[in-house]
Each structure stands twice: as C-alpha cells, then as structure tokens.
Amino acid sequence: MADPELLLDSSIRMWVVLPIVFITFFVGIIRHYVTQLLHSDKKVDLEQVSDSQVLLRSRILRENGKYIPRQSFAMRKHYFNDAETGFFKKVKRKVVPKNPMTDTSMLTDMMKGNLTNVLPMIVIGGWINWAFSGFVITKVPFPLTLRFKPMLQRGIDLLSLDASWVSSASWYFLNVFGLRSMYSLILGQDNAADQSRVMQDQMTGAAMAMPPDPNKAFKSEWEALEIVEHKWALENVEEDLMSRDLNFGTFFSQDIKSTMF
Amino acid sequence: MASISEMYDVGWEEMRDKLRKWREDNCRNSEQIVDVGEELISEHSSKLGDDVWIIYEQVMIAALDCSRDDLALTCLQELRKQFPDSHRVKRLSGMRLEALERYDEANKHYDSILQDDPTNTSARKRKISILKAQGKTAEAIRELNEYLEQFVGDQEAWHELSELYINEHDYGKAAFCLEELMMSNPHNHLYCEQYAEVKYTQGGLENLELSRKYFAQALRLNNRNMRALFGLYMSASHIAASPKVSAKVKKDNMKYAGWAATQINRAYKLAGRGTKESKCSMKAVEEMLESMQITMS
C-alpha cells in the first residue's frame, strides 16, 4: 500500500527514544556491577581438573603423535587404550547426575542469574510498556509483514498502520541487544551486562565445560585414539634439510647490542 | 648512583612497559628487574594505578633472587595490606621463608594453602622445589611424578622432571618427559634439540639414529641453531664410524656429516666477516672438525 509518511512529533524523539536508550544502557552497567558483587567463586573438583587434562593429553597424542618416535607413540597408545590395563578402559568415574533442583550450588547460581538478568528485563519492559504506550516511536527501515503487528505495536489498534512502525517496547528490546558492543567497549570483554551471551552460554554450556559424564568422554576418546595411525614426520627430515644451504640471516653479521632499553 | 631513568633517558611509562614485556616473556633477569622495579615503585607508584600490585609481585620475586631481603619484605607487606586473604600472597610469603632457608615454616604455609584449596598447583610446586633445594632429589622426583599424575598438562613440571632425571642420569625417563613436551609444542626447536642430546647421551646405534633425526628436525625448525648443527655432525660421524653398520648407511651418514661440516664452515666465515682474525679462526674450526672426526676405515 502507498506509504503515507507519518511525521512524528520531534518531542517523541527527545523524550522517548533517547531516554529508553539511556535507561537500557545504565541498567546494563548496574547489572554488570551487581553481578560482580554477587559473584561466588566456583569450587573446582580436583578429579574434574585432572580428567580434563588427561583428555587434553590424549587429544594432543592423536594430533601431534607424529613428532615422537614410533615406539614412544605405541607405548602411550598402549597406556591409554589397552584392553585390560588401559586408562580409558580401567578408569570409571562415579557419575552423580546433577539434578538442577537438588544440587544446591547450581540452584543458587540459577537464582542469581535469573535475578540479575531476567527480572530487570521484565520489570523495565513492563514499565516502558505502561509509560510509553499508545504511540509509535520509530520506523524500522525494512518492511515487515502484518503478522508482526501485534508483537511490535503494543497498545496501538490501528489496522491500517504499516507494520514497520513500532512501539516503545520493541525499541527497548532492540536496545538490549544492540548495546552489547557498547558494553564490551566500555566494560571490557567478558562483562556480565551482556545478556544475549548469557542466553547463548546456557545453550552451548555443556559443550565447553567438562561434560558431566566423564565416562562418555573417555569412551569417545578411546575410539578416536584406536583409529589413529603413527606416521612419523621425521622420515625424510635429513633430505629436506640438506636440499639447500642453511639460512643464517643476519644472525652472524654483526654484534648484537644488548642493553636494557 | 644515577637512576635508571637518567642513565637510559626513559620515562616511567617505558620502564613499566619493559617490566610488562619481561613478565610476559618470563625472563629471569632479576638484577635488571630489581633496578628498574625499585625505582618505579619508589618514585612512581601513584601513577601506576592497579598495575602496581603485579609489579610488586614481580619485583619481590626478583629481589629474592638477588638476596635483597629488605626490598622483598617491603613489597610483601604492601601486598599483604591490600590482599589479606589471598592464596597468591601466601605463596609469596612462603617463597620468602624459603629464601631465608626456613623450610619447615614454608612447608606449613603451603600445607595450609592446600588444605583450603586442593587444586592449587603453585603451592604443590613450591613444596617440590623445597625438596630440590634441600638436595633430596629422589623425593623431589617422586613428588613430582605424583603431581604429574594428576596434572598431566603442566609443561613446566614436565621440563623440571626431565632436568631432575638428567641429573640422576636416568636418560630413558628424561627422554619420556621431553617427548611429552615435544608433542605439545611441536614447533619448539629447543625441545627437539634437548631430546636429541639425551638420545645421543644414551648411546647405541638406534638412539644415535634418532638423535641425528631430531638434530635435523631442530635445524629445520630453526636454521640458526648452532648446537643442533654440531650435534648433527657428531651423531652422523659417530654412526658412520661404527663398525656394525651397512655400507649404505655409512655412506649416507658421511654425506650428512660432510654437509654439516660445510655449513659450520659457512657460519664461521659469516661470523668472522670484517674482523682481522677470521683466517685464524677458520683454520681453528677446520682443525677442530678434523679432530672430532673419528677415523673411518
């Protein structure tokens, strides 16, 4: 349909758009400091640390095993994978399934996470919805379908209004995600005000940290190590080396000045 | 005595950056650190901001190395005031006790840290170094082995263990430790070269072949490693001179040794360029190479 350009009152810009930006920004910074205050050190289990390092060593053996002699590689592979005495076959860890409802530390962490992240978002989103309702704030630069209207135009019941015109609530959400890069500029990387990363972490969290089931990890590592073959990288090292003269560069040409500054 | 900033005409920012570079490169030039750091903290501590704490730690460890107990104590007291319950500071006070040779008290310090936090690696490593300082190498080796069973990825510990084994002349186990290091740092030519040296010391035809290969690998990774070049020459000529090898192997190894000798000559020629004694030093190198050459039948 023909797009009648709505002319918005400039006081909307001054009293609505900018305040929402500032509110989102400052709430984010406050959230960052509050999270730091409430932060409790995670107690690491010695066994977990040890297991993760063993898995790392096995992975390095798979990847870089070709740099050590064949016999040494065979010795290590035997240590890990032997049917009776191999590490991955022998060691079975007791797996305590971490039920989020009963495990106290995880429960408090979850509560703290909810408190600092979700609660302010709901409270402020609702307040903005109530305070700045009934008018459109801005127009998004791309056309949207009509399905987005009830989501983005809360409180405005105009059927003929283009879906690109959005209300304050959607502007608020846009800010929450858009100011992420601003936070990293000001607060440095890895800051607690970054909400979307928190949500991302919850999804991929299991992959990064030590998986709660070390037995499964051991089994998959065993399988991976079984199929690795040793192809010594040093088979033809002399021929490669002697194909040309050594390149000494400027190493021997002058005295190397060595002072402190 | 002139201060560092006057001698080298540098400002406090450059001194701070230099300290940071030494920290990141893990250099152990303790006298220089003490000189630069002492001036920095006595005159410019207010300008350093939060950096001052890590500089205190760095200067304190360097001061212990140079036997400057007064400076070490000052730094430690500042750190204790700022971080009263920190394990890291507790470890530093343990190190000071070690420097004063009060080993039992130091051990008690480290034990209390470990009670609080069993995964603390630095306290365990300090205990092992106490054993080493007291000369109890066998116990140190045993403790280090236990430590490594739990923290398999700690490269510093692997290196220390290889050194201890070399001191005890247990070259087979030292080679094992160096293999771990080579696997995790395949591009580090120094580990290859050390491994080759251990294999060469072990002796025996197989080990000599391995050592020759690893000397060559070290050279491939870094063309300027003179030690590896000499090692290549020695191992190749040793194999060629051995009576048990086949003719082909002998020929190959003589070729390798010859190539290594040429490269050594080249290096000395380059180094002696422009100096008057170059002819004499070249002659000396050639004579040395000939004397090292074990006569071949």
Side-chain angles (χ1 to χ4, degrees):
Chain A
M1 80 182 199
D3 204 0
E5 286 299 338
L6 284 176
L7 191 62
L8 290 177
D9 194 348
S10 64
S11 51
I12 286 185
R13 173 193 55 199
M14 221 181 2
W15 293 106
V16 180
V17 174
L18 294 178
I20 290 187
V21 176
F22 287 133
I23 291 173
T24 324
F25 188 66
F26 285 122
V27 164
I29 296 206
I30 292 175
R31 213 179 24 229
H32 166 73
Y33 286 120
V34 167
T35 317
Q36 278 198 338
L37 282 174
L38 294 178
H39 175 68
S40 57
D41 276 314
K42 237 189 279 197
K43 208 63 187 279
V44 219
D45 195 14
L46 180 60
E47 213 176 66
Q48 267 194 338
V49 169
S50 170
D51 283 345
S52 57
Q53 291 206 351
V54 169
L55 284 173
L56 197 68
R57 180 174 175 226
S58 162
R59 203 184 80 201
I60 288 181
L61 181 65
R62 268 188 292 130
E63 290 173 18
N64 291 336
K66 56 188 199 270
Y67 293 109
I68 58 177
R70 193 172 299 263
Q71 208 174 14
S72 319
F73 177 81
M75 183 164 61
R76 286 170 168 83
K77 186 165 162 179
H78 182 271
Y79 165 74
F80 278 124
N81 272 17
D82 184 46
E84 290 131 41
T85 59
F87 184 83
F88 287 142
K89 283 288 187 186
K90 208 168 46 147
V91 173
K92 298 266 177 241
R93 298 273 180 231
K94 265 212 316 231
V95 168
V96 177
K98 283 258 195 95
N99 192 346
M101 287 305 131
T102 55
D103 193 10
T104 44
S105 66
M106 266 179 73
L107 199 62
T108 45
D109 273 343
M110 234 168 62
M111 246 178 52
K112 271 187 227 165
N114 278 340
L115 204 68
T116 50
N117 287 321
V118 180
L119 200 66
M121 199 157 96
I122 294 179
V123 164
I124 295 189
W127 175 76
I128 286 184
N129 223 356
W130 169 81
F132 298 121
S133 67
F135 48 87
V136 287
I137 303 294
T138 181
K139 179 174 194 259
V140 288
F142 43 86
L144 290 171
T145 64
L146 291 170
R147 285 175 161 257
F148 285 98
K149 271 230 267 189
M151 195 166 63
L152 298 174
Q153 286 179 357
R154 285 288 163 96
I156 303 162
D157 295 318
L158 283 178
L159 286 173
S160 60
L161 190 57
D162 210 344
S164 304
W165 294 95
V166 296
S167 67
S168 43
S170 40
W171 173 242
Y172 171 66
F173 283 114
L174 206 75
N175 269 295
V176 165
F177 292 108
L179 283 171
R180 266 194 308 138
S181 39
M182 285 280 288
Y183 290 142
S184 46
L185 220 89
I186 297 188
L187 296 172
Q189 289 289 70
D190 201 33
N191 60 74
D194 198 347
Q195 260 191 329
S196 63
R197 222 157 51 101
V198 171
M199 290 190 235
Q200 227 179 12
D201 274 344
Q202 280 170 355
M203 284 191 278
T204 61
M208 297 302 291
M210 182 65 203
D213 190 2
N215 290 333
K216 242 187 273 159
F218 286 166
K219 189 154 193 317
S220 56
E221 200 54 49
W222 178 86
E223 285 169 2
L225 194 53
E226 270 292 294
I227 58 179
V228 163
E229 289 258 321
H230 181 258
K231 190 171 179 328
W232 204 21
L234 269 62
E235 281 295 348
N236 300 321
V237 62
E238 285 104 347
E239 303 304 319
D240 287 339
L241 182 64
M242 300 183 191
S243 57
R244 60 178 149 234
D245 268 345
L246 289 180
N247 176 17
F248 294 125
T250 54
F251 197 48
F252 297 116
S253 49
Q254 285 149 9
D255 300 291
I256 304 171
K257 276 214 200 89
S258 58
T259 54
M260 267 206 272
F261 290 96
Chain B
M1 217 179 87
S3 68
I4 298 274
S5 48
E6 285 167 29
M7 274 206 285
Y8 296 97
D9 196 21
V10 289
W12 68 273
E13 295 107 339
E14 281 138 320
M15 304 211 296
R16 176 199 63 190
D17 291 338
K18 199 64 174 189
L19 277 181
R20 176 164 7 144
K21 179 165 172 297
W22 285 333
R23 208 166 43 230
E24 286 168 12
D25 291 339
N26 223 351
C27 305
R28 202 174 169 170
N29 48 343
S30 305
E31 293 194 351
Q32 290 179 328
I33 294 180
V34 160
D35 285 336
V36 174
E38 191 174 14
E39 188 177 325
L40 207 56
I41 54 186
S42 53
E43 314 217 348
H44 308 286
S45 63
S46 49
K47 299 187 206 125
L48 288 169
D50 268 337
D51 270 345
V52 70
W53 309 115
I54 199 156
I55 289 183
Y56 271 133
E57 184 183 28
Q58 189 182 8
V59 170
M60 184 197 157
I61 295 183
L64 287 178
D65 249 353
C66 300
S67 203
R68 288 281 310 268
D69 291 331
D70 51 333
L71 181 58
L73 194 57
T74 340
C75 297
L76 184 60
Q77 280 167 339
E78 290 295 318
L79 285 170
R80 267 204 207 124
K81 261 195 293 187
Q82 178 72 9
F83 304 106
D85 288 320
S86 157
H87 281 164
R88 200 163 153 177
V89 174
K90 207 155 182 195
R91 166 187 166 239
L92 287 176
S93 53
M95 279 173 82
R96 182 178 155 262
L97 290 173
E98 276 184 60
L100 296 171
E101 294 199 1
R102 285 148 65 174
Y103 294 124
D104 294 322
E105 292 180 43
N107 255 319
K108 278 207 211 92
H109 259 85
Y110 298 135
D111 283 331
S112 71
I113 297 182
L114 283 174
Q115 250 183 348
D116 254 351
D117 178 14
T119 64
N120 190 316
T121 54
S122 29
R124 290 181 73 160
K125 289 199 263 194
R126 287 318 309 169
K127 289 185 68 161
I128 294 173
S129 34
I130 289 183
L131 287 173
K132 188 176 171 195
Q134 292 176 314
K136 304 179 180 158
T137 337
E139 281 185 44
I141 289 183
R142 198 182 48 218
E143 291 288 321
L144 194 46
N145 265 308
E146 275 179 32
Y147 171 81
L148 275 172
E149 257 175 55
Q150 296 195 308
F151 297 99
V152 204
D154 190 338
Q155 300 188 4
E156 199 183 48
W158 280 115
H159 205 171
E160 187 63 37
L161 187 59
S162 78
E163 244 185 67
L164 287 175
Y165 275 134
I166 290 177
N167 280 335
E168 296 287 302
H169 304 299
D170 196 345
Y171 297 114
K173 300 213 182 92
F176 183 91
C177 304
L178 285 169
E179 279 161 10
E180 289 290 321
L181 287 171
M182 276 203 301
M183 271 204 300
S184 26
N185 305 296
H187 300 294
N188 186 331
H189 63 105
L190 295 170
Y191 291 147
C192 280
E193 186 221 303
Q194 246 189 334
Y195 181 71
E197 285 175 5
V198 168
K199 282 290 170 198
Y200 184 84
T201 320
Q202 270 185 305
L205 189 58
E206 248 180 55
N207 287 329
L208 278 179
E209 294 237 323
L210 271 178
S211 86
R212 187 197 69 218
K213 286 223 177 271
Y214 279 94
F215 275 129
Q217 171 77 343
L219 267 181
R220 196 163 69 150
L221 291 171
N222 179 1
N223 273 349
R224 306 169 181 179
N225 192 334
M226 281 309 286
R227 215 167 142 137
L229 189 52
F230 274 105
L232 178 62
Y233 177 76
M234 300 279 298
S235 48
S237 37
H238 218 123
I239 297 179
S242 157
K244 291 184 256 166
V245 293
S246 66
K248 176 175 184 317
V249 170
K250 202 184 258 218
K251 200 162 72 92
D252 282 338
N253 278 292
M254 283 181 59
K255 182 173 74 135
Y256 299 148
W259 180 87
T262 338
Q263 297 303 319
I264 295 178
N265 272 323
R266 253 190 77 224
Y268 274 89
K269 221 181 275 191
L270 272 176
R273 224 169 29 184
T275 64
K276 285 196 213 127
E277 301 90 22
S278 55
K279 273 217 191 93
C280 312
S281 55
M282 286 304 304
K283 205 153 178 302
V285 170
E286 279 165 18
E287 281 173 16
M288 176 184 69
L289 285 176
E290 290 205 10
S291 67
M292 278 202 295
Q293 219 172 52
I294 305 151
T295 48
M296 320 193 182
S297 52

